[in-house]
Amino acid sequence: MKEYHVAVVGATGAVGNVMVKVLEQRNFPVRRLTLLASERSIGKTLEFKGESLPVEVLNDGSFAGIDIGLFSAGGAVSQRYAPVAAASGCVVIDNTSAFRMDPEVPLVVPEVNPEQIGMHRAKGIIANPNCSTIQMVVVLKPIHDAAVIKRVIVSTYQSVSGTGKEAIEELILQTRALLSGGKTEAKVYPHRIAFNCLPHIDVFLENGYSKEEMKMIHETRKILNDQSIRVTATTVRVPVFYGHSESVNIETERKITVEETREILARAPGVTVVDSIKENKYPLPIDAEGKDDTFVGRIREDESIENGINMWIVSDNLRKGAALNAVQIAEVLARDYL
Ligand code: A2P
C-alpha cells in the first residue's frame, strides 16, 4: 500500500491536535508526519503512533516533498501558505473558510459529495466546510434525495472549541472565577461566555447576519449542489466545551412522515438516530464528544406547515466538524487520486 508524507499545519491548535489523533486512529497510510505551527510552538512535541515528533515553524520551504497538507491555522495562514504548498505538489485540505466559496475549489463532505474531490486538480486545494454546515448536510442530504428540501431554518448552539484553544481556556478561567466569587475577563469573545449565550459567531456583515450564518447558507447550497434551497441561520455560541447542537427545521416538496424520516436517516452513512423521548433519549453534546457520527433526534412533524420536519442534530465539531472530515477527504484522495 502506498504511504504518504502528511503535514498538519496548526498542529498545536484545537483542530490540529485532533487531526494528528484521527490520522493515527484511522490508521491513515502515513509514511512521515510533519507538524507545523508558529514560532510560539518552538520546542513543543506531539505524540504520533508512540513517537514524540517535534513541532516545526511553518515557512515557505515547509512543503517540499509533502503529499498532503491538512491546514487548520486560521484563514490568513491558509491564504498565504496553501498556494505555496499546492505549487510544490502538495494537495491541501483546508479547514478554514479561505477558499470554500472559490468555484475552482471543491467543498467536500465525503458522505455527501465525494465526487467533487477530483476537482482538486484545478488549484491543488480541497476545502473542508464549516463545522456547523458539515453536521447539518450529512443529515439533510438523504432527506433531500428522497423528498427535495425547499427551505431550511437552523439555529445553532456551538461549543467554544470551535473558536480554538484560547476560547477553551477562556471558558475554564471564567467559570472558575465566577464559582469562586472572582472577576472575569473576556478576551476571545466580546462578552463573558461562561453561563451565557452569544448570538455572535465570527464577524457581522452588512446585511446584519454574522459571517458564520452566511457560511451556513452559501456552503449548504454549494455542497448539496442546489442553489435553489432557501436557508436561513442564527448561530449562537454557548458555554459548552465540545460538540455543536442544532435545531433544524426543513420544508420539503414531497411530504415525508416522521417514520419515513427516521428510516431514511437510520440508513444514512455517518448518521446515528437517537430518538426515544419515552426514555429521554436524544442527542447530547456530552455524548457526541469523541465520536465520529452525527447524531439526530427529536424528529417531529412541523405542524405549522404542510410538509415540514423538525430535528435536533449534534456532532463533535472538532471531529466530524473538522479533523475527521478532513482525514476522510484525504482517504478518498489517497484511494482514488494519488
Ligand atoms: P501556535 O500554537 O504556535 O500558536 P487554535 O485554532 O486552537 O487557536 O490553533 C491555531 C493553530 O494555528 C495553532 O497550532 C497555531 O500555532 C497555529 N498558527 C496560528 N498562527 C500561525 C502562523 N502565523 N503560522 C503558523 N501557525 C500558526
Side-chain angles (χ1 to χ4, degrees), residues 44-317:
K44 282 192 188 157
T45 58
L46 290 175
E47 291 289 309
F48 180 68
K49 294 193 172 173
E51 250 187 282
S52 189
L53 302 178
V55 178
E56 299 169 32
V57 178
L58 172 67
N59 63 57
D60 282 332
S62 297
F63 298 98
I66 290 179
D67 304 304
I68 300 171
L70 304 177
F71 277 57
S72 194
V77 171
S78 290
Q79 285 281 4
R80 166 77 176 77
Y81 288 98
V84 174
S88 78
C90 164
V91 180
V92 172
I93 301 172
D94 182 31
N95 189 50
T96 78
S97 63
F99 300 97
R100 287 182 193 150
M101 296 316 296
D102 184 327
E104 289 186 312
V105 172
L107 182 65
V108 178
V109 178
E111 292 88 342
V112 179
N113 61 343
E115 73 286 348
Q116 290 292 312
I117 291 174
M119 266 188 58
H120 75 273
R121 293 196 185 93
K123 285 205 166 155
I125 302 171
I126 301 166
N128 207 40
N130 165 271
C131 43
S132 302
T133 309
I134 293 177
Q135 68 181 66
M136 184 169 78
V137 295
V138 164
V139 172
L140 294 190
K141 165 72 174 167
I143 302 174
H144 191 46
D145 287 345
V148 184
I149 296 171
K150 293 191 330 194
R151 183 169 185 230
V152 180
I153 304 170
V154 53
S155 298
T156 69
Y157 307 69
Q158 298 181 223
S159 67
V160 297
S161 58
T163 312
K165 58 182 176 202
E166 285 168 7
I168 298 173
E169 191 59 26
E170 182 150 304
L171 177 56
I172 294 171
L173 291 176
Q174 290 179 352
T175 305
R176 202 179 276 151
L178 286 165
L179 291 178
S180 54
K183 277 210 161 62
T184 59
E185 200 186 349
K187 284 198 270 184
V188 176
Y189 297 116
H191 304 279
R192 196 184 87 200
I193 182 65
F195 307 104
N196 203 6
C197 295
L198 310 178
H200 178 181
I201 300 187
D202 208 329
V203 294
F204 285 116
L205 304 172
E206 279 289 299
N207 64 358
Y209 282 78
S210 68
K211 197 170 166 195
E212 184 83 351
E213 288 160 351
M214 296 312 294
K215 282 180 212 164
M216 290 197 77
I217 296 167
H218 297 311
E219 294 182 23
T220 297
R221 290 184 179 147
K222 180 168 174 175
I223 299 162
L224 294 177
N225 191 26
D226 187 345
Q227 291 301 319
S228 72
I229 298 185
R230 287 171 293 162
V231 182
T232 190
T234 303
T235 57
V236 181
R237 189 73 66 190
V238 296
V240 166
F241 285 106
Y242 301 100
H244 288 356
S245 307
E246 299 174 342
S247 158
V248 178
N249 172 273
I250 57 168
E251 185 174 357
T252 52
E253 215 164 271
R254 174 174 81 75
K255 181 161 186 78
I256 49 169
T257 61
V258 168
E259 286 65 37
E260 191 183 351
T261 307
R262 276 209 196 99
E263 279 164 24
I264 290 167
L265 294 175
R267 289 194 304 267
V271 175
T272 298
V273 178
V274 180
D275 197 16
S276 174
I277 49 173
K278 277 196 212 109
E279 303 167 285
N280 294 341
K281 282 196 179 152
Y282 29 74
L284 297 174
I286 55 170
D287 296 333
E289 186 182 334
K291 308 261 172 59
D292 287 350
D293 267 9
T294 295
F295 299 88
V296 57
R298 299 295 325 281
I299 302 167
R300 61 212 190 276
E301 195 170 326
D302 174 357
E303 294 173 348
S304 72
I305 52 174
E306 279 303 310
N307 303 337
I309 292 282
N310 280 311
M311 295 173 280
W312 177 249
I313 301 173
V314 179
S315 194
D316 184 328
N317 55 297

